[in-house]
Amino acid sequence: MNNHLKEAVSSAPAKVILFGEHFVVYKNPAIAAAINKRVKVHAQVNDDMHINIKSGEYSLNVHATSNVDPVLTPDSSLSFLYPIFMCVKHVLSEQHNHNIGINLIVDSQIPYGEGLGSSAASCVATVAALYSLFSSRDRSRIYGTAKTMEETIHMNSSGIDCYVSTFGGIVNYEPDRGFNNIGIKKNFTLLIGTTGVKHATGEVVSQVRHFREKNLTLFKDLSSKARIICRRSMNSILEGNEVEFGNLLTENHKLLTLLGVSHPIIEKLIERCLDNGALGAKLTGAGRGGAIIALIPSESCKEISNRLSKGSEKWMLVEFDHIGVAFG
Ligand code: PMV
């Protein structure tokens, strides 16, 4: 056996798209950030040649050489384990030893199916834990493998989720130039509200494609506004200008509403945030469900989140994560 460890632990953060979702699919920039909610993976080599994955009350146990079990199709109730299972299969297939299996315990703080990158973070943490067992803890390699797996599972993925989850921080993505970390002057506090409506990124992306085909002039106009918002938001992040950053979030949300990717619950959550003192708010990710983000002034974040938590909605206060994938 060429592994040098019997067990390893890794974790990786969730992400939010701050600006530019959907427009990024058509060669416009986007800005995303890692946030301090993590998925943690404990991996252990077993010699019974099975892949055992446990996450809370859910578990699966599949022979390491079997093909994808029907229970693992992306539509099943265990679908959140599917990317993790695929990553384990992939890393095991890279090994030259076919007589081993893996036990994984997955502990996640990231709501699933809400556009917060739980699938990418699971892939990054799983690949990192397995590479810790078998080879090296090289972040670029972890990113490369996690991205390949995400692409297999979610077609047309830009790779932004895996990048942000691996390297952390706030990242500007330009389709022609790749990824760049943006330095920050001030750590903003975000409030995340989840709609509870699971979204299907692929479906929403294809709805936007139809919208674009029918409304090309309008789409080009919205794209150019989204590009300007991304540029201005970089300055607001670099300068730590909360008011400007908040206004830009709300402006970006208006463009997404015009694209038709909002949802009545998203609108309700955004209104609640703005009425209670948020500096700006928008949907994050594909939309039509999923989550919203709101910028909360740092001096009153406790007070505002206490007020909002009196309602029936689910909220989480988060900050940016600058660590990315972590070992141990
Ligand atoms: O909701 P998420 O996290 O899957 O984000 C989708 C972001 C899109 O811009 C709509 C698609 C993409 O691949 O960038």
Side-chain angles (χ1 to χ4, degrees):
M1 199 185 284
N2 63 354
N3 55 301
H4 49 90
L5 286 176
K6 276 280 180 198
E7 44 190 301
V9 178
S10 291
S11 68
K15 71 93 193 37
V16 288
I17 297 185
L18 297 172
F19 300 98
E21 55 270 89
H22 287 295
F23 300 104
V24 70
V25 175
Y26 301 94
K27 296 218 172 296
N28 295 292
I31 298 180
I35 53 168
N36 60 348
K37 294 286 164 196
R38 292 190 158 251
V39 56
K40 188 171 173 181
V41 171
H42 175 274
Q44 188 180 38
V45 174
N46 69 46
D47 51 18
D48 68 2
M49 291 179 64
H50 273 73
I51 297 172
N52 302 308
I53 306 178
K54 275 201 174 130
S55 179
E57 63 193 280
Y58 297 98
S59 65
L60 70 95
N61 181 330
V62 183
H63 196 272
T65 58
S66 74
N67 287 322
V68 179
D69 191 291
V71 85
L72 283 169
T73 56
D75 309 326
S76 89
S77 64
L78 287 177
S79 61
F80 71 102
L81 296 181
Y82 182 74
I84 300 171
F85 174 76
M86 295 301 283
C87 287
V88 177
K89 288 277 286 185
H90 180 86
V91 176
L92 283 182
S93 76
E94 291 178 340
Q95 307 310 307
H96 297 297
N97 183 338
H98 299 291
N99 296 321
I100 52 170
I102 291 290
N103 300 331
L104 280 193
I105 298 172
V106 180
D107 187 8
S108 181
Q109 304 172 319
I110 310 171
Y112 173 73
E114 301 270 7
L116 299 175
S118 74
S119 158
S122 301
C123 287
V124 171
T126 300
V127 171
L130 296 179
Y131 280 170
S132 298
L133 291 175
F134 297 122
S135 47
S136 68
R137 293 172 170 177
D138 178 76
R139 281 173 187 248
S140 301
R141 187 163 171 238
I142 292 167
Y143 163 63
T145 301
K147 178 177 179 280
T148 307
M149 297 322 295
E150 267 278 293
E151 279 168 354
T152 322
I153 300 154
H154 302 118
M155 307 296 236
N156 303 321
S157 157
S158 57
I160 197 166
D161 288 25
C162 288
Y163 187 93
V164 167
S165 189
T166 307
F167 297 101
I170 305 181
V171 173
N172 178 40
Y173 171 69
E174 310 245 355
D176 295 335
R177 292 198 219 149
F179 300 101
N180 261 307
N181 267 71
I182 309 173
I184 61 161
K185 195 163 180 183
K186 187 172 176 191
N187 217 355
F188 297 150
T189 304
L190 295 179
L191 191 63
I192 294 183
T194 49
T195 61
V197 179
K198 302 268 176 268
H199 74 179
T201 301
E203 271 170 38
V204 190
V205 167
S206 85
Q207 283 156 5
V208 171
R209 192 175 59 242
H210 292 309
F211 176 92
R212 181 176 176 271
E213 280 161 12
K214 285 195 187 147
N215 309 277
L216 194 55
T217 311
L218 173 60
F219 189 86
K220 281 188 178 162
D221 179 48
L222 298 177
S223 298
S224 98
K225 290 188 169 124
R227 276 198 301 278
I228 294 168
I229 289 176
C230 270
R231 241 190 342 262
R232 284 172 53 200
S233 74
M234 279 227 269
N235 291 336
S236 71
I237 294 165
L238 289 165
E239 288 162 8
N241 186 339
E242 281 189 335
V243 173
E244 169 83 345
F245 185 88
N247 286 336
L248 292 169
L249 289 176
T250 308
E251 272 186 45
N252 192 154
H253 182 71
K254 287 181 188 152
L255 303 182
L256 292 164
T257 306
L258 292 171
L259 270 191
V261 297
S262 192
H263 183 281
I265 304 180
I266 290 177
E267 294 303 317
K268 193 180 101 189
L269 294 178
I270 287 179
E271 199 182 303
R272 292 261 290 132
C273 291
L274 296 177
D275 287 352
N276 280 282
L279 296 169
K282 70 181 273 293
L283 69 83
T284 184
R288 293 263 168 111
I292 67 120
I293 51 174
L295 181 69
I296 304 295
S298 32
E299 63 284 359
S300 44
C301 70
K302 284 265 148 57
E303 187 192 316
I304 294 175
S305 73
N306 284 346
R307 263 206 310 269
L308 284 169
S309 60
K310 294 205 171 96
S312 55
E313 301 93 355
K314 286 197 180 137
W315 302 98
M316 289 191 292
L317 262 186
V318 299
E319 287 187 356
F320 297 133
D321 167 282
H322 299 282
I323 302 166
V325 64
F327 304 94

